[in-house]
Amino acid sequence: MRHLQETDYPAIISKLDEWWGGRPMRGLLPRLFFQHFSDTSWVIEDHGEVVGFLIGFLSQVFQDTGYIHFVGVHPLYRANGLGKQLYEQFFKAMRDHGRHIVEAITSPVNRESVAFHTRMGFVVVPGDAIVESIPVHRNYDGCGGDRVIFRKTLVR
Ligand SMILES: CC(C)(COP(=O)(O)OP(=O)(O)OC[C@H]1O[C@@H](n2cnc3c(N)ncnc32)[C@H](O)[C@@H]1OP(=O)(O)O)[C@@H](O)C(=O)NCCC(=O)NCCS
């Protein structure tokens, strides 16, 4: 595992939609994340190829909070603990920065992400509707898209 670098951008962005099962995700991950948040973001490589990545940052407004914007693991490498390793690295970094809350969001259709975050100890923040038994925040994206908000309190 190593820190994300701006030079990782082409390789990761070209795989993004494929790793998300064909969903169009590229627009949500502009290059600026690779430029400005590399010190709180990591990749895992296998034989020189990125097989997992996490992009997160320290909230500027909420001084107790870190935010995970994206996590992805190569489909052939899933269920091997890589996502967990990336999250644990981020949790450690947040503790080192004195942050004890971690937040992330996902789409309610992404059941894998809901299962993963639940397993990683996140709780779902109550929303304004329940969709297929999950609390969601309706129209979170301003274009009709609902989102699930996760929050985890880190044990010091
Ligand atoms: C979500 C994702 C990152 C998980 O990565 P992963 O490397 O397969 O996860 P891990 O193997 O580290 O799993 C960690 C824990 O979560 C659980 N988990 C992971 N995916 C799960 C799933 N689909 N269903 C149920 N549990 C799951 C694992 O069982 C494991 O639990 P354990 O510690 O008790 O063994 C991966 O599936 C992925 O890249 N998905 C597509 C991108 C995406 O949706 N990202 C999240 C939204 S930004």
Side-chain angles (χ1 to χ4, degrees), residues 2-156:
R2 61 165 173 78
H3 276 292
L4 182 82
Q5 299 168 357
E6 187 178 351
T7 50
D8 292 317
Y9 188 67
I12 291 177
I13 206 71
S14 69
K15 298 287 181 195
L16 207 63
D17 294 358
E18 185 188 324
W19 286 16
W20 262 255
R23 291 173 59 209
M25 303 300 288
R26 288 179 193 162
L28 297 174
L29 193 55
R31 192 176 189 112
L32 69 89
F33 284 93
F34 291 65
Q35 295 167 326
H36 296 284
F37 301 116
S38 55
D39 60 345
T40 49
S41 303
W42 286 268
V43 300
I44 295 176
E45 288 180 306
D46 186 25
H47 295 93
E49 186 190 349
V50 173
V51 295
F53 70 97
L54 179 154
I55 294 176
F57 54 87
L58 301 164
S59 172
Q60 294 196 22
V61 173
F62 303 105
Q63 295 295 313
D64 55 357
T65 301
Y67 187 90
I68 297 173
H69 180 52
F70 257 72
V71 61
V73 171
H74 188 303
L76 296 179
Y77 287 75
R78 288 181 192 164
N80 282 303
L82 298 192
K84 185 176 182 176
Q85 277 182 48
L86 288 161
Y87 266 51
E88 286 180 345
Q89 179 66 45
F90 187 78
F91 296 158
K92 179 183 179 308
M94 291 305 103
R95 284 192 196 94
D96 291 346
H97 282 281
R99 310 272 169 140
H100 65 278
I101 294 173
V102 177
E103 290 188 354
I105 67 168
T106 203
S107 294
V109 294
N110 193 342
R111 293 299 165 138
E112 289 185 352
S113 176
V114 172
F116 171 72
H117 283 92
T118 303
R119 193 70 195 92
M120 294 307 300
F122 287 77
V123 295
V124 175
V125 176
D128 54 0
I130 306 278
V131 174
E132 293 178 28
S133 75
I134 299 178
V136 300
H137 297 252
R138 285 185 301 184
N139 194 29
Y140 186 88
D141 70 352
C143 299
D146 303 336
R147 295 290 183 272
V148 181
I149 300 180
F150 296 106
R151 183 173 294 144
K152 178 181 169 86
T153 302
L154 299 177
V155 177
R156 288 170 200 274

